Each structure stands twice: as structure tokens, then as C-alpha cells.
Amino acid sequence: MEITESDLELYEIARSAASLAYAPYSNFAVGAALRTTDGTVYRGVNVENASFGLTICAERSAAVSAVASGARGFEAIAVHGDASSVPPCGACRQVLAEFAPELRVIWRRDGAPVVSSLADLLPERFRL
């Protein structure tokens, strides 16, 4: 997939959101920006907890915010973390696939933003 200007704008929102993350244990702040089919953008950040299993990723944070606001149609998500490669983790991929299996995903690979489909990142999602 080819990255668009709209993808890069969404990525910049995710990059900006990362500064709001709560990451006192890993010191690895992640931001996400989820655009719904009506054009609304929901930001999310990772929120760590001393009980590590209770930590929530930025992507799921954005998805939960969107769903809590009544959104169900997801168009694209951008993820930013200060590392060379920061794709969504497997748990986030599965949660996002619940709403949009063909979602556009903007993330860093080798330090530069790229775009993939969620289906390419999660070819065998869990389904009932």
C-alpha cells in the first residue's frame, strides 16, 4: 500500500499523543490515532500499571475511546513509538480486527512511517 498525505497527518497526531502516555516502568511512550469512517479521530496512549498485565496499549486505548463514543466503523489507525519499528502488538491487532479487518495501519518500519492493511498484519484472526 502507498502512504498518503492523510496517513501522514494521522501519524503526526499519534506522534503528538505519545507525549501524553503514562509509561513510568518501561519509559516507552506510545501514541495512537484512530480515524473512524465519519472522519472523527480518537487518540490513545499506553497506560502502564505496576501489575504489568493490566497495562493497556495505545491502540486499544484509542479503540475503547471510539467505541465508548458510539463509533463502530474504523478506517485507519496510526501508531507511534520512539523506536525503529513499532507495529501494533498481536492483542491490539485482534481487537482492531473485531471492528475493521481491512483497517489501514500506519506505523514505523526502519524509522519511517509505512502503511499496511490489518489483514496483512493479522492474516489469521480469531473469529466465532
Side-chain angles (χ1 to χ4, degrees):
M1 299 177 92
E2 189 170 321
I3 198 159
T4 66
E5 189 63 35
S6 180
D7 293 334
L8 293 172
E9 289 170 8
L10 194 63
Y11 182 81
E12 284 304 310
I13 295 169
R15 188 186 61 73
S16 169
S19 68
L20 302 172
Y22 179 74
Y25 305 104
S26 71
N27 292 313
F28 188 70
V30 179
L34 175 66
R35 185 174 54 240
T36 59
T37 52
D38 71 0
T40 304
V41 174
Y42 295 89
R43 296 184 310 168
V45 298
N46 58 322
V47 180
E48 294 181 349
N49 189 278
S51 177
F52 295 130
L54 299 179
T55 293
I56 186 167
C57 297
E59 301 92 307
R60 283 182 281 154
S61 173
V64 168
S65 179
V67 170
S69 296
R72 298 292 188 275
F74 299 173
E75 182 178 284
I77 191 165
V79 182
H80 171 81
D82 193 18
S84 178
S85 182
V86 186
C89 74
C92 289
R93 294 175 195 194
Q94 181 63 45
V95 168
L96 293 166
E98 182 76 17
F99 297 94
E102 296 298 324
L103 185 71
R104 289 178 72 82
V105 182
I106 302 97
W107 52 287
R108 277 170 80 151
R109 179 190 298 142
D110 298 327
V114 296
V115 65
S116 303
S117 73
L118 185 58
D120 285 343
L121 293 174
L122 184 68
E124 296 295 329
R125 72 182 194 274
F126 180 81
R127 309 173 208 214
L128 290 180

